[in-house]
Amino acid sequence: MSGITAAERAAMARARTLALFGPRGLNPQVGAVILAPDGRTLAEGHHRGAGTAHAETDALSHLLPGEARGATAIVTLEPCNHTGRTGPCAVALLEAGVARVVYAVDDPGERSCGGSDRLRSAGVDVARLDEAEGEALIRDWLFVQRTGRPRVTVKWAQSLDGRAAAADGSSRWITGADARAHVHRERSAHDAIAVGTGTVLADDPRLTARVPGVDDAPQPVPVVFGDRAIPADAALRHHPRGIRTAGHDLERELRSLAADGIQTLYVEGGPTLASAFIRAGLADRLTVYVAPTLLGGPRTALDDLGVGTIDEQRRLTVTRLEQLGSDLLVEASTESEQ
Ligand SMILES: NC(=O)c1ccc[n+]([C@@H]2O[C@H](COP(=O)([O-])OP(=O)(O)OC[C@H]3O[C@@H](n4cnc5c(N)ncnc54)[C@H](OP(=O)(O)O)[C@@H]3O)[C@@H](O)[C@H]2O)c1
């Protein structure tokens, strides 16, 4: 059998929903559905995080021995082929007598890939359902697998003349309420949020995600980059996720964040830290809130980016333009995202 049936497509959509019940972190979010030969759903499963059963073994665990014989397993990620803290899922599916496997995304892991070949060589009918939604589900995890670091968004707010603060360093509030609400939604959509010590000392930010109308918005882990001490009475000390500190070696710090399951980092400045990320080629996406105001003076939104001549300019691709109240949001991606 080769084509993918409507029941299998519907089961894949369900598997994607199941995947989202699992936590973001070191392991990908994966969902699975086991279908009987007549298309009925026999069992569902999802992965609950590192060290726990993978989605397909979780689904199989709900069935009696022999119940999956001749069944079709629908999985959002290619069944793995290696023994980590759990055994290879390809083997679990073979032992259960599954006749067909439909999966969405190839496993990019050097050690875990090859599950589909193993199943095929054991006589299982394996098909790949190549849908954008499957990749989108674990886009950030795939990014970490490819690069070894979280996907980085650098955000700043600026006046129309490109200043991030007034001459005395005060910067609250350049933008209006709609832009700020947008920032809170963005915070909440990231695993961690970064600021430099300069911003902590100047602004005393809380760095919580306060999303209008949402009481229990996910809170990113606040990461403060720099050597200076965080004051004992800093508002950040009340953050529900605690404070993580980081040094100046951005690549090393990013690898360490990825090793702790952080897939996305939202860099909120200030200008020194934002520029350091961009200069190092570690910014994948920029979100710039432009307010219709003029500040003049020396406090530019970015400082030295290592661009000495026009040939070295950092060309971007604008991916979104939106008016938020009286401000403008410009979203752009850098080369690493294209
Ligand atoms: N408009 C906006 O969007 C926005 C956002 C945030 C802040 N601000 C404004 O920006 C001002 C503060 O800016 P800032 O540039 O001084 O603060 P910053 O970028 O928050 O902090 C700079 C500090 O980051 C640390 N750091 C860690 N790794 C680094 C690296 N690889 N390269 C360089 N620095 C690194 C250093 O701290 P150590 O010296 O401690 O090692 C450095 O002094 C305030 O006026 C604030 O209001 C504006």
mmCIF file of all heavy atoms in Angstrom, residues 210-243:
data_model
loop_
_atom_site.group_PDB
_atom_site.id
_atom_site.type_symbol
_atom_site.label_atom_id
_atom_site.label_comp_id
_atom_site.label_asym_id
_atom_site.label_seq_id
_atom_site.Cartn_x
_atom_site.Cartn_y
_atom_site.Cartn_z
ATOM 1 N N ARG A 210 3.066 39.304 30.932
ATOM 2 C CA ARG A 210 1.749 39.713 31.427
ATOM 3 C C ARG A 210 0.845 39.919 30.215
ATOM 4 O O ARG A 210 0.763 41.016 29.657
ATOM 5 C CB ARG A 210 1.878 40.976 32.283
ATOM 6 C CG ARG A 210 2.833 40.732 33.471
ATOM 7 C CD ARG A 210 3.011 41.924 34.354
ATOM 8 N NE ARG A 210 3.658 43.071 33.751
ATOM 9 C CZ ARG A 210 4.992 43.208 33.609
ATOM 10 N NH1 ARG A 210 5.809 42.250 34.002
ATOM 11 N NH2 ARG A 210 5.490 44.301 33.067
ATOM 12 N N VAL A 211 0.208 38.820 29.800
ATOM 13 C CA VAL A 211 -0.585 38.834 28.569
ATOM 14 C C VAL A 211 -2.005 39.264 28.911
ATOM 15 O O VAL A 211 -2.657 38.632 29.746
ATOM 16 C CB VAL A 211 -0.595 37.431 27.915
ATOM 17 C CG1 VAL A 211 -1.387 37.454 26.619
ATOM 18 C CG2 VAL A 211 0.837 36.955 27.663
ATOM 19 N N PRO A 212 -2.491 40.362 28.279
ATOM 20 C CA PRO A 212 -3.832 40.842 28.605
ATOM 21 C C PRO A 212 -4.871 39.730 28.429
ATOM 22 O O PRO A 212 -4.886 39.047 27.403
ATOM 23 C CB PRO A 212 -4.060 41.969 27.578
ATOM 24 C CG PRO A 212 -2.685 42.392 27.172
ATOM 25 C CD PRO A 212 -1.826 41.181 27.261
ATOM 26 N N GLY A 213 -5.710 39.527 29.441
ATOM 27 C CA GLY A 213 -6.788 38.540 29.354
ATOM 28 C C GLY A 213 -6.354 37.113 29.639
ATOM 29 O O GLY A 213 -7.176 36.203 29.604
ATOM 30 N N VAL A 214 -5.073 36.880 29.898
ATOM 31 C CA VAL A 214 -4.597 35.519 30.174
ATOM 32 C C VAL A 214 -3.945 35.499 31.559
ATOM 33 O O VAL A 214 -2.951 36.188 31.793
ATOM 34 C CB VAL A 214 -3.569 35.048 29.112
ATOM 35 C CG1 VAL A 214 -3.104 33.623 29.394
ATOM 36 C CG2 VAL A 214 -4.150 35.173 27.715
ATOM 37 N N ASP A 215 -4.517 34.712 32.475
ATOM 38 C CA ASP A 215 -3.998 34.693 33.853
ATOM 39 C C ASP A 215 -2.759 33.814 34.014
ATOM 40 O O ASP A 215 -1.901 34.107 34.833
ATOM 41 C CB ASP A 215 -5.080 34.180 34.814
ATOM 42 C CG ASP A 215 -6.181 35.216 34.968
ATOM 43 O OD1 ASP A 215 -5.889 36.401 34.719
ATOM 44 O OD2 ASP A 215 -7.311 34.830 35.313
ATOM 45 N N ASP A 216 -2.730 32.719 33.238
ATOM 46 C CA ASP A 216 -1.654 31.746 33.475
ATOM 47 C C ASP A 216 -0.749 31.624 32.248
ATOM 48 O O ASP A 216 -0.423 30.526 31.816
ATOM 49 C CB ASP A 216 -2.259 30.376 33.829
ATOM 50 C CG ASP A 216 -3.231 29.916 32.764
ATOM 51 O OD1 ASP A 216 -3.531 30.725 31.858
ATOM 52 O OD2 ASP A 216 -3.674 28.754 32.813
ATOM 53 N N ALA A 217 -0.362 32.774 31.699
ATOM 54 C CA ALA A 217 0.528 32.762 30.523
ATOM 55 C C ALA A 217 1.835 32.054 30.886
ATOM 56 O O ALA A 217 2.364 32.254 31.986
ATOM 57 C CB ALA A 217 0.825 34.192 30.092
ATOM 58 N N PRO A 218 2.362 31.208 29.984
ATOM 59 C CA PRO A 218 3.646 30.577 30.259
ATOM 60 C C PRO A 218 4.722 31.643 30.504
ATOM 61 O O PRO A 218 4.761 32.668 29.822
ATOM 62 C CB PRO A 218 3.949 29.796 28.972
ATOM 63 C CG PRO A 218 2.629 29.618 28.306
ATOM 64 C CD PRO A 218 1.806 30.811 28.687
ATOM 65 N N GLN A 219 5.565 31.403 31.494
ATOM 66 C CA GLN A 219 6.623 32.361 31.857
ATOM 67 C C GLN A 219 7.974 31.854 31.367
ATOM 68 O O GLN A 219 8.393 30.761 31.728
ATOM 69 C CB GLN A 219 6.659 32.540 33.375
ATOM 70 C CG GLN A 219 5.394 33.129 33.959
ATOM 71 C CD GLN A 219 5.147 34.562 33.500
ATOM 72 O OE1 GLN A 219 6.075 35.322 33.237
ATOM 73 N NE2 GLN A 219 3.876 34.929 33.383
ATOM 74 N N PRO A 220 8.666 32.649 30.542
ATOM 75 C CA PRO A 220 10.005 32.237 30.113
ATOM 76 C C PRO A 220 11.013 32.392 31.259
ATOM 77 O O PRO A 220 10.800 33.188 32.169
ATOM 78 C CB PRO A 220 10.326 33.219 28.987
ATOM 79 C CG PRO A 220 9.506 34.416 29.285
ATOM 80 C CD PRO A 220 8.273 33.953 29.996
ATOM 81 N N VAL A 221 12.082 31.639 31.192
ATOM 82 C CA VAL A 221 13.150 31.750 32.191
ATOM 83 C C VAL A 221 13.936 33.034 31.927
ATOM 84 O O VAL A 221 14.397 33.249 30.807
ATOM 85 C CB VAL A 221 14.129 30.557 32.054
ATOM 86 C CG1 VAL A 221 15.304 30.703 33.022
ATOM 87 C CG2 VAL A 221 13.400 29.239 32.263
ATOM 88 N N PRO A 222 14.095 33.916 32.915
ATOM 89 C CA PRO A 222 14.884 35.134 32.676
ATOM 90 C C PRO A 222 16.385 34.845 32.788
ATOM 91 O O PRO A 222 16.825 34.218 33.754
ATOM 92 C CB PRO A 222 14.430 36.083 33.790
ATOM 93 C CG PRO A 222 13.945 35.198 34.888
ATOM 94 C CD PRO A 222 13.510 33.891 34.272
ATOM 95 N N VAL A 223 17.142 35.283 31.795
ATOM 96 C CA VAL A 223 18.588 35.060 31.795
ATOM 97 C C VAL A 223 19.260 36.429 31.755
ATOM 98 O O VAL A 223 18.994 37.229 30.852
ATOM 99 C CB VAL A 223 19.034 34.245 30.559
ATOM 100 C CG1 VAL A 223 20.513 33.883 30.673
ATOM 101 C CG2 VAL A 223 18.181 32.989 30.388
ATOM 102 N N VAL A 224 20.104 36.708 32.742
ATOM 103 C CA VAL A 224 20.810 37.989 32.785
ATOM 104 C C VAL A 224 22.256 37.762 32.360
ATOM 105 O O VAL A 224 22.987 36.990 32.991
ATOM 106 C CB VAL A 224 20.754 38.605 34.201
ATOM 107 C CG1 VAL A 224 21.535 39.919 34.232
ATOM 108 C CG2 VAL A 224 19.304 38.831 34.624
ATOM 109 N N PHE A 225 22.644 38.423 31.271
ATOM 110 C CA PHE A 225 24.014 38.313 30.746
ATOM 111 C C PHE A 225 24.883 39.417 31.335
ATOM 112 O O PHE A 225 24.492 40.582 31.306
ATOM 113 C CB PHE A 225 24.013 38.442 29.217
ATOM 114 C CG PHE A 225 23.563 37.203 28.501
ATOM 115 C CD1 PHE A 225 22.222 36.868 28.424
ATOM 116 C CD2 PHE A 225 24.490 36.356 27.892
ATOM 117 C CE1 PHE A 225 21.803 35.718 27.762
ATOM 118 C CE2 PHE A 225 24.090 35.207 27.228
ATOM 119 C CZ PHE A 225 22.744 34.884 27.164
ATOM 120 N N GLY A 226 26.057 39.050 31.839
ATOM 121 C CA GLY A 226 26.993 40.064 32.330
ATOM 122 C C GLY A 226 27.554 39.688 33.686
ATOM 123 O O GLY A 226 27.033 38.798 34.362
ATOM 124 N N ASP A 227 28.625 40.425 34.063
ATOM 125 C CA ASP A 227 29.344 40.089 35.299
ATOM 126 C C ASP A 227 28.888 40.903 36.497
ATOM 127 O O ASP A 227 29.137 40.525 37.633
ATOM 128 C CB ASP A 227 30.858 40.318 35.087
ATOM 129 C CG ASP A 227 31.394 39.437 33.959
ATOM 130 O OD1 ASP A 227 30.821 38.349 33.742
ATOM 131 O OD2 ASP A 227 32.367 39.851 33.292
ATOM 132 N N ARG A 228 28.265 42.040 36.234
ATOM 133 C CA ARG A 228 27.878 42.870 37.380
ATOM 134 C C ARG A 228 26.774 42.178 38.190
ATOM 135 O O ARG A 228 25.952 41.446 37.631
ATOM 136 C CB ARG A 228 27.388 44.239 36.894
ATOM 137 C CG ARG A 228 28.527 45.193 36.583
ATOM 138 C CD ARG A 228 28.038 46.454 35.916
ATOM 139 N NE ARG A 228 27.606 46.213 34.549
ATOM 140 C CZ ARG A 228 27.006 47.110 33.776
ATOM 141 N NH1 ARG A 228 26.755 48.315 34.259
ATOM 142 N NH2 ARG A 228 26.668 46.815 32.545
ATOM 143 N N ALA A 229 26.764 42.460 39.496
ATOM 144 C CA ALA A 229 25.809 41.785 40.383
ATOM 145 C C ALA A 229 24.395 42.327 40.172
ATOM 146 O O ALA A 229 24.205 43.513 39.882
ATOM 147 C CB ALA A 229 26.234 41.985 41.826
ATOM 148 N N ILE A 230 23.430 41.448 40.341
ATOM 149 C CA ILE A 230 22.025 41.867 40.295
ATOM 150 C C ILE A 230 21.665 42.338 41.709
ATOM 151 O O ILE A 230 21.880 41.596 42.679
ATOM 152 C CB ILE A 230 21.128 40.671 39.881
ATOM 153 C CG1 ILE A 230 21.559 40.160 38.506
ATOM 154 C CG2 ILE A 230 19.660 41.064 39.904
ATOM 155 C CD1 ILE A 230 20.966 38.817 38.149
ATOM 156 N N PRO A 231 21.152 43.569 41.834
ATOM 157 C CA PRO A 231 20.879 44.082 43.187
ATOM 158 C C PRO A 231 19.946 43.160 43.971
ATOM 159 O O PRO A 231 19.070 42.514 43.400
ATOM 160 C CB PRO A 231 20.191 45.427 42.906
ATOM 161 C CG PRO A 231 20.604 45.800 41.530
ATOM 162 C CD PRO A 231 20.824 44.530 40.785
ATOM 163 N N ALA A 232 20.159 43.142 45.281
ATOM 164 C CA ALA A 232 19.366 42.262 46.145
ATOM 165 C C ALA A 232 17.883 42.611 46.072
ATOM 166 O O ALA A 232 17.022 41.741 46.247
ATOM 167 C CB ALA A 232 19.863 42.371 47.576
ATOM 168 N N ASP A 233 17.590 43.890 45.813
ATOM 169 C CA ASP A 233 16.171 44.284 45.803
ATOM 170 C C ASP A 233 15.618 44.396 44.369
ATOM 171 O O ASP A 233 14.584 45.028 44.153
ATOM 172 C CB ASP A 233 15.990 45.613 46.545
ATOM 173 C CG ASP A 233 16.819 46.735 45.900
ATOM 174 O OD1 ASP A 233 17.654 46.434 45.017
ATOM 175 O OD2 ASP A 233 16.605 47.914 46.279
ATOM 176 N N ALA A 234 16.301 43.787 43.388
ATOM 177 C CA ALA A 234 15.836 43.870 41.995
ATOM 178 C C ALA A 234 14.475 43.178 41.856
ATOM 179 O O ALA A 234 14.248 42.113 42.453
ATOM 180 C CB ALA A 234 16.851 43.203 41.069
ATOM 181 N N ALA A 235 13.573 43.784 41.078
ATOM 182 C CA ALA A 235 12.240 43.198 40.861
ATOM 183 C C ALA A 235 12.360 41.788 40.293
ATOM 184 O O ALA A 235 11.537 40.913 40.577
ATOM 185 C CB ALA A 235 11.444 44.097 39.913
ATOM 186 N N LEU A 236 13.402 41.574 39.506
ATOM 187 C CA LEU A 236 13.625 40.285 38.849
ATOM 188 C C LEU A 236 13.753 39.138 39.861
ATOM 189 O O LEU A 236 13.469 37.982 39.554
ATOM 190 C CB LEU A 236 14.909 40.410 38.024
ATOM 191 C CG LEU A 236 15.205 39.417 36.919
ATOM 192 C CD1 LEU A 236 13.983 39.178 36.059
ATOM 193 C CD2 LEU A 236 16.359 39.932 36.088
ATOM 194 N N ARG A 237 14.167 39.474 41.075
ATOM 195 C CA ARG A 237 14.349 38.425 42.090
ATOM 196 C C ARG A 237 13.028 37.770 42.474
ATOM 197 O O ARG A 237 13.013 36.719 43.097
ATOM 198 C CB ARG A 237 15.060 38.986 43.319
ATOM 199 C CG ARG A 237 16.498 39.402 42.995
ATOM 200 C CD ARG A 237 17.381 39.392 44.208
ATOM 201 N NE ARG A 237 18.753 39.736 43.852
ATOM 202 C CZ ARG A 237 19.681 38.841 43.504
ATOM 203 N NH1 ARG A 237 19.389 37.561 43.481
ATOM 204 N NH2 ARG A 237 20.893 39.237 43.180
ATOM 205 N N HIS A 238 11.902 38.392 42.101
ATOM 206 C CA HIS A 238 10.594 37.800 42.405
ATOM 207 C C HIS A 238 10.059 36.981 41.234
ATOM 208 O O HIS A 238 8.910 36.542 41.255
ATOM 209 C CB HIS A 238 9.580 38.893 42.756
ATOM 210 C CG HIS A 238 9.997 39.708 43.938
ATOM 211 N ND1 HIS A 238 9.997 39.207 45.222
ATOM 212 C CD2 HIS A 238 10.485 40.980 44.026
ATOM 213 C CE1 HIS A 238 10.444 40.123 46.058
ATOM 214 N NE2 HIS A 238 10.759 41.211 45.345
ATOM 215 N N HIS A 239 10.881 36.804 40.208
ATOM 216 C CA HIS A 239 10.390 36.102 39.015
ATOM 217 C C HIS A 239 10.025 34.655 39.358
ATOM 218 O O HIS A 239 10.792 33.978 40.053
ATOM 219 C CB HIS A 239 11.459 36.126 37.906
ATOM 220 C CG HIS A 239 10.903 35.783 36.559
ATOM 221 N ND1 HIS A 239 10.597 34.493 36.190
ATOM 222 C CD2 HIS A 239 10.567 36.567 35.508
ATOM 223 C CE1 HIS A 239 10.112 34.506 34.955
ATOM 224 N NE2 HIS A 239 10.076 35.749 34.518
ATOM 225 N N PRO A 240 8.863 34.162 38.883
ATOM 226 C CA PRO A 240 8.429 32.800 39.252
ATOM 227 C C PRO A 240 9.383 31.699 38.778
ATOM 228 O O PRO A 240 9.367 30.607 39.346
ATOM 229 C CB PRO A 240 7.056 32.659 38.571
ATOM 230 C CG PRO A 240 7.007 33.732 37.541
ATOM 231 C CD PRO A 240 7.868 34.847 38.047
ATOM 232 N N ARG A 241 10.194 31.967 37.769
ATOM 233 C CA ARG A 241 11.111 30.928 37.277
ATOM 234 C C ARG A 241 12.520 31.062 37.868
ATOM 235 O O ARG A 241 13.426 30.318 37.500
ATOM 236 C CB ARG A 241 11.219 30.997 35.734
ATOM 237 C CG ARG A 241 9.918 30.796 34.979
ATOM 238 C CD ARG A 241 9.387 29.375 35.077
ATOM 239 N NE ARG A 241 10.269 28.348 34.571
ATOM 240 C CZ ARG A 241 10.327 27.924 33.305
ATOM 241 N NH1 ARG A 241 9.518 28.454 32.410
ATOM 242 N NH2 ARG A 241 11.149 26.956 32.944
ATOM 243 N N GLY A 242 12.727 32.028 38.780
ATOM 244 C CA GLY A 242 14.084 32.251 39.297
ATOM 245 C C GLY A 242 14.914 32.978 38.246
ATOM 246 O O GLY A 242 14.417 33.277 37.157
ATOM 247 N N ILE A 243 16.169 33.277 38.572
ATOM 248 C CA ILE A 243 17.029 34.003 37.619
ATOM 249 C C ILE A 243 18.161 33.086 37.201
ATOM 250 O O ILE A 243 18.757 32.405 38.031
ATOM 251 C CB ILE A 243 17.678 35.248 38.256
ATOM 252 C CG1 ILE A 243 16.621 36.140 38.888
ATOM 253 C CG2 ILE A 243 18.492 36.029 37.223
ATOM 254 C CD1 ILE A 243 17.220 37.276 39.712
#
